[in-house]
């Protein structure tokens, strides 16, 4: 009788099961001070090598990007407020983003405890937008901050999307003598622009 | 069947220490620094100990219902378009992966870090069959280019100096041998790997956690290499050990809060990625792997090692590991966790690992999921001792010690003789086969004139006329 | 208060002064001390190597020696830990269980049982580093482990602070293992030696003139290394400091 590997493994597991333990208590948020979420988010992000900026309009956002990346020729954006030089559409082959200097996306919310932002396949349109460009800019509504990862997971519901990422700081490595270097394989820099969702810039500038 | 030779960690460690005055002290300092960072991060979470306890309970509960959770994971993953395969052992895992690639004409694969894939010997298997596999985690890539296994599960090349890496990169990727600036070296590898990412026909990852309730799996990196790989070629294959199952999404909050703080002292890895289905027009496969895990589940003393979330905190705190280097353990699982997983995988090959420890217990205290590592190391010593897996000479020495220590008369005689020898002929004693392991590195204490017992009988019971 | 004096095998053989200090200290504090003359060892050498059968021999002698005592006190955190936590090669009779529960290390006996408030007979006007041994910290809980997030305490330090003139020297790695580890000192080779030297230098770097500990085994290992590496520091067991000798 040939048993499939699936059946074999499940049978072995069942034969070796330890005594059942009670379900663990609920993983609740520990709470903590409800205020100063923006400040805590900013300092956590900074500790991981990211930077944050407060802007008040789409125009200011575009200007800030130009200020941070003056030499950028191609700015690929999936964010509604920032037109960029290249709109990221559904059917773009991700390899086509290889020459992009700056990727722009709007995140759904941020996490004060860790300085992370939550972005999904729906936000990115093309997942590679957050990884292949040399630099990444994320727009985030400062009113959309949760305290900690417990609250974050309740809100994110990662099972509902094929891809979702808590992104905190630029790509980094410490593999060489423990020295932290940014831009290991992914983006060299991460800038978060704190801006409520709003209209587009209508002054024609990038 | 040829048996793998026994790994001798003490000898390998001695070589690591003896190579120069740079490598071992630097390794010790770097990893202690991570322990210090871990402590600081833990202090910042006032409910830290409660969180560890909760994580331990989540893991233990899961192991008690592992079959049901595995089926639930498979059901939910398949509903989301993920193809789920089951592999009994390393060989089957490799064949499944190869078949997936061969059927789609894939010859170039990029992969992010997976201890499981290394455990299965996947890369040599695929490369023998014409598929090129490129590690994209910088530390793993360094080790791949150098033909060495990883020296630490989180920082695979932490035993190397920048000069070592500069020489290696010059040889393998054509960078400047004279430039050992970590920024330059990282940039050189970034450019080299970027070509591989763009040319890849498939991406492989491991998984830190797999959520039964949703069929999603989680990959945590700081480089973003898993995400970059997964976002380019249309085919993603993830190898997941059956012990990685977590019941619900909410449990990720606990484990993610502990993982990076324990590993590196930062509150989260820079990329915590959740995969719950293929990209548009793409394919996603998960290979669930047993390879001895169900057997380990059935061992009451050792099953709790399956709680491990591969954070490496035990390695960072272990002074034996810090002074030995990870390669001394002869296994991809090194340090304290390696000392208890190794013998479970191959009792003979790794029989010395549990003895390469002082049983100091620090590992048990830093483990975020409360694996009782130190207790399991002692338990392995008992198993190995009873099963005659310890060297004959040592077994005999221990038995002799037991006989001496079990007899007041014999112990007194041995003590007196030893003291006389120490007083009269310390050099002979020092050079003896029994004591030279001690005296190779330490001086012997001076011999007291009387043992405590003799002093007591003389001074407190007025036995004789011994001079003070 | 009556207690049986437990003298570890290597203390009996190589460092009787530690046993003498322990005996005198207990007597100063009004304890009626008996010394079972035929005791041998706690059984740790075979036990920590996994040889339960051999360990049982020593364990039997231990229980026999101390079965009649209300309390058992010894100057070794490592041996006391072995008795309390690992004396399990024997069948666990009532006698065995009672002896295990009644065994104390000298510092914890002074701190928790006798609740010593002062040590007026002793003076030690020197800079002293305390080696917080693994057995003392993670074994029998005399001090809070640095890995665990919780309130800090250290019973050995509490007692040392009562010694006139003594200056406690803070070090970098407060409870890192010294590398003795029983037979690891023989099998661990260069690793054991490097760990020991790291501990010695941590103290020396911070200006310690003396290093003390609750474990003679650690001190033997550290002293042997300090001597070989010509480090200028002296070693003394905590019982000797608290008793004011013998040195």
């Amino acid at each position: 009788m040939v048993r499939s590997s699936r059946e074999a493994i499940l049978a072995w597991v069942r034969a070796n099961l330890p005594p059942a333990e009670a379900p663990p208590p609920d993983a609740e948020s520990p709470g903590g001070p409800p205020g100063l979420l923006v400040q805590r988010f900013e300092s956590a992000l900074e500790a991981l090598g990211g930077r944050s900026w407060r802007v008040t309009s789409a125009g200011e956002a575009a200007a800030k990007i130009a200020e941070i990346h003056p030499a950028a020729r191609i700015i690929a954006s999936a964010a509604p407020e920032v037109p960029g030089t290249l709109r990221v559409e559904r059917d773009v082959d991700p390899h086509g983003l290889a020459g992009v200097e700056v990727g722009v996306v709007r995140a759904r919310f941020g996490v004060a405890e860790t300085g992370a932002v939550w972005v999904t396949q729906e936000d990115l349109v093309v997942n590679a937008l957050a990884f292949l460009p040399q630099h990444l800019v994320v727009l985030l509504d400062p009113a959309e901050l949760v305290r900690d990862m417990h609250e974050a997971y309740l809100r994110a519901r990662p099972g509902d999307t094929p891809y979702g990422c808590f992104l905190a700081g630029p790509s980094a490595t410490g593999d060489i003598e423990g020295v932290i270097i940014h831009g290991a394989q992914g983006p060299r820099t991460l800038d978060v622009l704190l801006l409520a969702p709003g209209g587009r810039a209508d002054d024609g500038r990038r | 069947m040829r048996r793998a030779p026994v790994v001798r960690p003490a000898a390998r460690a001695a070589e690591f220490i003896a190579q120069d005055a740079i490598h071992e002290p630097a390794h010790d300092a770097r990893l202690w620094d991570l322990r210090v960072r871990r402590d600081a991060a833990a202090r910042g979470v006032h409910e830290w100990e409660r969180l560890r306890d909760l994580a331990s309970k989540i893991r233990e509960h899961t192991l008690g219902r592992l079959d049901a959770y595995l089926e639930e994971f498979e059901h939910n993953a398949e509903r989301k378009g993920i193809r789920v395969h089951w592999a009994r052992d390393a060989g089957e895992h490799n064949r499944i992966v190869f078949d997936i690639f061969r059927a789609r004409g894939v010859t170039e694969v990029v992969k992010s870090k997976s201890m499981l894939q290394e455990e299965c010997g996947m890369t040599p298997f695929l490369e023998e069959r014409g598929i090129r596999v490129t590690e994209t985690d910088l530390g793993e890539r360094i080790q791949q280019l150098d033909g060495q296994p990883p020296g630490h599960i989180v920082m695979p090349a932490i035993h190397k100096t920048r000069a070592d890496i500069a020489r290696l990169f010059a040889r393998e990727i054509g960078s400047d041998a004279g430039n050992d600036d970590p920024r330059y070296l990282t940039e050189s590898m970034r450019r080299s790997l970027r070509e591989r990412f763009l040319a890849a026909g498939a991406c492989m990852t491991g998984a830190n956690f797999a959520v039964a309730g949703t069929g999603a799996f989680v990959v945590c990196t700081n480089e973003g290499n898993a995400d970059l790989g997964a976002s380019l070629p249309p085919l993603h294959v993830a190898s997941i050990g059956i012990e990685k199952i977590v019941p619900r999404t909410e449990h990720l909050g606990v484990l993610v809060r502990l993982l990076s703080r324990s590993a590196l002292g930062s509150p989260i890895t820079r990329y915590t990625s959740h995969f719950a289905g293929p990209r548009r027009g793409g394919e996603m496969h998960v290979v669930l792997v047993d390879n001895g895990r169900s057997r380990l589940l059935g061992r009451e003393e050792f099953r709790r090692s399956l709680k491990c979330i591969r954070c490496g905190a035990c390695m960072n705190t272990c002074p034996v590991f810090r002074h030995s280097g990870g390669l001394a353990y002869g296994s991809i699982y090194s340090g304290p966790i390696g000392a208890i997983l190794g013998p479970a995988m191959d009792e003979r090959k790794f029989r010395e690992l549990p003895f390469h420890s002082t049983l100091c217990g620090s590992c048990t205290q830093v483990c975020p999921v409360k694996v009782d590592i130190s207790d399991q190391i002692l338990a392995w010593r008992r198993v190995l001792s009873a099963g005659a897996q310890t060297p004959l000479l040592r077994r005999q020495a221990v038995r002799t010690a037991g006989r001496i220590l079990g007899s007041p008369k014999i112990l007194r005689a041995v003590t007196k003789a030893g003291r006389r020898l120490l007083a009269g002929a310390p050099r002979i004693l020092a050079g003896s086969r029994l004591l030279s392991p001690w005296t190779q590195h330490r001086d012997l204490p001076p011999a007291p004139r009387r043992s405590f017992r003799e002093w007591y009988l003389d001074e407190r019971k007025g036995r004789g006329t011994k001079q003070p | 208060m009556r207690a049986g004096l437990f003298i570890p095998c290597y203390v009996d053989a190589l460092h009787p002064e530690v046993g003498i200090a322990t005996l005198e200290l207990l007597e100063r504090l009004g304890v009626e001390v008996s010394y079972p003359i035929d005791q041998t060892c706690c059984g740790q050498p075979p036990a920590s190597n996994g040889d339960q059968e051999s360990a049982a021999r020593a364990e039997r002698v231990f229980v026999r020696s101390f079965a009649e005592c209300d309390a058992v006190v010894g100057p070794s955190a490592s041996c006391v830990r072995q008795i309390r936590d690992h004396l399990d090669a024997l069948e666990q009779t009532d006698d065995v269980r009672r002896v295990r529960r009644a065994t104390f290390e000298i510092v914890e006996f002074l701190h928790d049982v006798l609740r010593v408030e002062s040590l007026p007979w002793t003076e030690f006007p020197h800079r002293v580093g305390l080696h917080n041994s693994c057995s003392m910290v993670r074994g029998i809980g005399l001090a809070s482990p640095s890995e665990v997030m919780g309130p800090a305490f250290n019973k050995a330090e509490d007692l040392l602070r009562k010694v006139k003139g003594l200056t406690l020297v803070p070090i970098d790695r407060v409870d890192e293992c010294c590398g003795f580890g029983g037979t690891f000192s023989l099998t661990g080779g260069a690793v054991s030696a490097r760990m020991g030297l790291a501990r010695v230098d941590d103290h020396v770097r911070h200006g310690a003139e003396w290093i003390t500990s609750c474990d003679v085994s650690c001190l033997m290992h550290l002293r042997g290394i300090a001597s070989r590496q010509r480090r200028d520091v002296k070693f003394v067991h905590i019982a000797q400091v608290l008793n004011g000798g013998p040195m």
Side-chain angles (χ1 to χ4, degrees):
Chain A
M1 180 185 73
V2 174
R3 207 163 47 164
S4 74
S5 295
R6 177 186 188 278
E7 297 317 314
I9 292 171
L10 286 170
W12 292 336
V13 169
R14 277 182 202 116
N16 287 316
L17 275 182
E21 303 274 343
D26 286 341
E28 280 170 9
S29 168
L36 297 177
L37 290 183
V38 175
Q39 288 87 335
R40 281 156 58 200
F41 170 81
E42 287 178 319
S43 66
L45 175 67
E46 207 172 313
L48 288 171
R51 294 180 300 189
S52 65
W53 313 89
R54 304 191 195 191
V55 296
T56 54
S57 71
E60 239 187 275
K64 178 55 75 178
I65 294 174
E67 179 192 321
I68 298 170
H69 300 291
R73 287 164 301 122
I74 307 176
I75 299 175
S77 176
E81 302 91 336
V82 174
T85 61
L86 176 66
R87 296 297 308 163
V88 178
E89 302 295 325
R90 275 185 69 81
D91 297 314
V92 172
D93 175 355
H95 296 77
L97 298 177
V100 172
E101 275 104 356
V102 182
V104 186
V105 64
R106 174 171 275 284
R108 295 189 182 209
F109 68 90
V111 189
E113 180 197 3
T114 53
V117 296
W118 174 248
V119 291
T120 67
Q121 181 164 286
E122 289 74 28
D123 306 319
L124 292 165
V125 183
V126 176
N127 293 345
L129 181 65
F131 305 101
L132 200 47
Q134 301 292 333
H135 304 276
L136 185 63
V137 173
V138 174
L139 304 184
L140 176 67
D141 183 351
E144 299 297 337
L145 284 173
V146 299
R147 266 184 298 209
D148 55 47
M149 292 307 295
H150 302 290
E151 293 184 354
Y153 271 110
L154 280 175
R155 181 151 170 190
R157 301 182 59 82
D160 291 353
T161 171
Y163 177 76
C165 182
F166 285 112
L167 218 145
S171 161
T173 181
D175 278 331
I176 300 176
E177 290 192 353
V179 177
I180 303 292
I181 306 290
H182 294 134
Q185 320 304 338
R188 302 168 186 275
T189 65
L190 173 67
D191 287 275
V192 175
L193 306 187
L194 295 164
L195 170 70
R200 293 164 173 282
D202 57 2
D203 59 0
R205 275 184 306 163
R206 277 190 287 159
Chain B
M1 186 180 71
R2 228 173 336 128
R3 292 190 299 183
V6 175
V7 173
R8 305 203 185 280
R12 293 182 183 214
E15 282 172 25
F16 179 66
I17 290 169
Q19 67 181 297
D20 54 31
I22 298 170
H23 282 79
E24 172 250 347
H27 187 257
D28 169 63
R30 264 172 234 143
L31 294 181
W32 178 258
D33 180 60
L34 289 179
R35 159 71 207 278
V36 170
R37 285 173 193 276
R38 171 257 171 210
D39 287 358
R43 267 194 293 278
V45 178
H46 71 87
E47 70 276 18
W48 180 259
E49 294 302 331
R50 202 166 51 78
L51 215 53
R52 285 179 72 214
D53 198 54
L54 191 50
S56 174
K57 289 190 163 74
I58 291 168
R59 299 292 281 166
E60 297 204 359
H61 161 77
T62 306
L63 293 177
R65 291 189 68 232
L66 189 59
D67 57 332
Y69 283 129
L70 282 167
E71 288 184 289
E72 192 183 349
F73 173 79
E74 177 194 47
H75 173 76
N76 286 318
E78 291 190 330
R79 269 181 44 210
K80 298 198 156 98
I82 301 175
R83 284 280 313 278
V84 178
H85 311 259
W86 299 71
R88 296 169 213 231
D89 54 31
E92 190 171 7
H93 165 271
N94 296 342
R95 281 192 301 278
I96 290 170
V97 167
F98 175 62
D99 286 345
I100 293 170
F101 292 152
R102 191 187 43 173
R104 290 151 187 79
V106 170
T107 55
E108 290 282 344
V109 173
V110 289
K111 69 183 285 292
S112 66
K113 206 197 316 240
S114 163
M115 303 313 304
L116 176 59
Q117 287 162 358
E118 300 225 36
E119 186 187 313
C120 294
M122 180 192 80
T123 297
F125 181 90
L126 292 178
E127 299 218 318
E128 277 161 25
R129 287 155 181 79
I131 296 176
R132 187 164 71 169
V133 178
T134 303
E135 294 281 354
T136 61
D137 173 87
L138 178 59
E140 291 286 353
R141 182 68 177 143
I142 289 168
Q143 293 306 93
Q144 179 179 41
L145 289 173
D146 206 15
Q148 280 184 349
H152 186 288
I153 60 177
V154 172
M155 309 183 82
I158 200 66
H159 58 285
K160 285 180 154 73
T161 61
R162 61 183 70 186
D164 294 334
I165 296 166
R167 266 191 302 275
L168 175 70
F169 280 12
R171 199 178 73 217
E172 300 289 334
I173 65 171
S175 57
D176 174 8
N179 189 342
D180 64 3
D181 176 10
R183 194 173 311 273
Y184 168 75
L185 295 170
T186 305
E187 182 69 27
S188 304
M189 184 51 73
R190 178 192 170 91
R191 288 168 198 270
S192 167
L193 286 175
R194 204 165 164 88
E195 293 166 20
R196 300 277 175 116
F197 277 115
L198 292 168
C203 143
M204 294 201 72
T205 68
N208 293 81
F209 312 107
V211 184
T214 59
F217 59 94
V218 186
V219 183
C220 304
T221 70
N222 280 297
E223 300 184 26
N225 54 317
D227 306 88
L228 187 53
S231 70
L232 284 168
L235 174 57
H236 179 170
V237 180
S239 309
I240 306 183
I242 56 174
E243 85 284 14
K244 293 294 175 70
I245 297 288
V246 162
R248 306 271 165 265
T249 297
E250 64 177 83
H251 298 126
L252 294 177
V254 176
L255 295 164
V256 163
R257 292 185 75 208
L258 289 165
L259 176 64
S260 187
R261 286 183 171 100
S262 302
L264 299 167
S266 59
I268 200 175
T269 50
R270 286 164 177 79
Y271 301 96
T272 307
S273 307
H274 307 72
F275 296 94
R279 284 171 22 222
R280 281 176 294 271
E283 269 186 82
M284 182 173 281
H285 296 251
V286 159
V287 187
L288 292 171
V289 182
D290 185 338
N291 203 33
R293 287 154 173 74
S294 59
R295 190 171 57 240
L296 192 50
L297 189 64
R299 302 186 75 159
E300 199 276 323
E301 284 179 305
F302 305 116
R303 68 165 59 106
R304 285 173 304 283
S305 60
L306 291 169
K307 291 195 287 180
C308 173
I309 61 173
R310 308 284 194 261
C311 73
C314 59
M315 295 170 193
N316 299 339
T317 198
C318 176
V320 172
F321 179 87
R322 284 187 267 109
H323 290 282
S324 299
L327 298 180
Y329 297 77
S331 168
I332 57 170
Y333 302 112
S334 52
I337 191 67
I340 63 177
L341 289 178
M345 297 190 306
D346 187 333
E347 205 171 284
R348 188 178 170 278
K349 180 177 178 190
F350 297 115
R351 69 191 192 193
E352 290 196 11
L353 298 196
F355 293 91
H356 197 60
S357 162
T358 57
L359 296 177
C360 83
S362 189
C363 49
T364 301
Q365 302 305 327
V366 297
C367 178
V369 288
K370 293 189 152 182
V371 179
D372 51 339
I373 304 174
S374 195
D375 290 347
Q376 290 191 38
I377 291 176
L378 180 60
W380 269 115
R381 291 185 182 187
R382 290 183 183 177
V383 167
L384 293 167
S385 181
Q389 280 287 9
T390 48
L392 184 64
L393 211 59
R394 175 195 298 192
R395 242 180 301 136
Q396 284 176 340
V398 169
R399 215 168 282 150
T400 304
R403 238 173 256 127
I404 295 172
L405 298 168
S407 160
K409 275 208 187 69
I410 299 180
L411 180 60
R412 280 201 289 276
V414 168
T415 300
K416 190 170 235 167
R419 216 168 54 251
R420 287 227 177 97
L421 206 57
L422 186 60
R427 272 203 211 94
I428 295 177
L429 197 61
S432 71
R433 233 180 41 160
L434 176 67
L435 286 190
S436 64
W438 178 275
T439 55
Q440 186 184 0
H441 302 285
R442 312 162 193 78
D443 291 341
L444 288 169
R449 272 181 319 103
R450 297 178 282 187
S451 68
F452 175 84
R453 190 176 178 277
E454 286 169 353
W455 172 90
Y456 187 87
L457 287 172
D458 288 347
E459 306 299 330
R460 293 308 186 88
K461 292 293 189 201
R463 177 178 74 180
T465 54
K466 293 264 157 104
Q467 297 301 312
Chain C
M1 168 76 62
R2 291 185 322 192
L5 182 64
F6 162 44
I7 300 294
C9 54
Y10 51 92
V11 172
D12 177 60
L14 296 167
H15 292 282
E17 70 278 8
V18 176
I20 296 166
T22 307
L23 170 61
E24 291 179 353
L25 186 55
L26 288 169
E27 288 174 335
R28 277 190 212 272
L29 292 162
V31 178
E32 195 185 310
V33 184
S34 66
Y35 171 61
I37 202 74
D38 282 328
Q39 61 183 276
T40 54
C41 172
C42 65
Q44 198 171 171
S48 70
N49 275 284
D51 186 347
Q52 286 292 80
E53 202 182 303
S54 297
R57 293 171 185 265
E59 293 182 12
R60 222 166 273 132
V61 174
F62 188 90
V63 174
R64 202 170 60 223
S65 303
F66 292 101
E68 304 301 316
C69 297
D70 297 337
V72 182
V73 185
S76 165
S78 150
C79 302
V80 167
R81 196 248 183 117
Q82 167 68 19
I83 305 291
R84 285 222 289 263
D85 290 357
H86 293 310
L87 203 93
D88 51 15
L90 288 182
E91 184 203 335
Q92 300 294 296
T93 62
D94 283 342
D95 266 359
V96 170
R97 269 192 276 264
R98 200 168 29 81
V99 167
R100 288 180 69 177
R101 266 200 310 271
T103 300
F104 294 89
E105 182 273 341
I106 182 69
V107 164
E108 71 181 344
F109 193 72
L110 261 55
H111 189 283
D112 297 344
V113 179
L114 299 181
R115 298 189 189 277
V116 167
E117 291 291 322
S118 63
L119 301 161
W121 51 77
T122 185
E123 189 177 346
F124 202 75
H126 304 290
R127 294 173 59 80
V128 176
L130 172 62
H131 171 63
N132 291 300
S133 67
C134 305
S135 304
M136 172 194 150
V137 177
R138 288 172 286 265
I140 61 175
L142 293 191
S144 49
S146 62
E147 302 90 344
V148 177
M149 301 300 132
F153 66 92
N154 190 315
K155 298 179 186 179
E157 267 184 26
D158 287 351
L159 291 177
L160 287 171
R161 287 192 204 286
K162 299 185 199 297
V163 176
K164 194 157 117 206
L166 190 151
T167 304
L168 266 175
V169 165
I171 58 174
D172 290 334
R173 304 187 188 182
V174 297
D175 51 21
E176 186 183 60
C177 177
C178 70
F180 175 73
T183 46
F184 187 77
S185 60
L186 302 174
T187 60
V191 173
S192 172
R194 293 293 295 169
M195 286 169 68
L197 186 57
R199 292 294 82 240
V200 169
D201 281 344
D202 199 348
H203 290 274
V204 169
R205 206 166 47 237
H206 288 87
E209 301 168 89
W210 291 83
I211 296 176
T212 192
S213 177
C214 297
D215 273 293
V216 174
S217 44
C218 304
L219 290 173
M220 279 179 5
H221 165 74
L222 292 173
R223 178 196 260 125
I225 289 170
S227 168
R228 177 65 58 86
Q229 300 290 338
R230 307 206 199 294
R231 297 300 199 257
D232 184 18
V233 65
K234 300 184 279 287
F235 296 84
V236 65
H237 186 268
I238 197 168
Q240 296 167 269
V241 177
L242 300 178
N243 184 53
M247 293 308 281

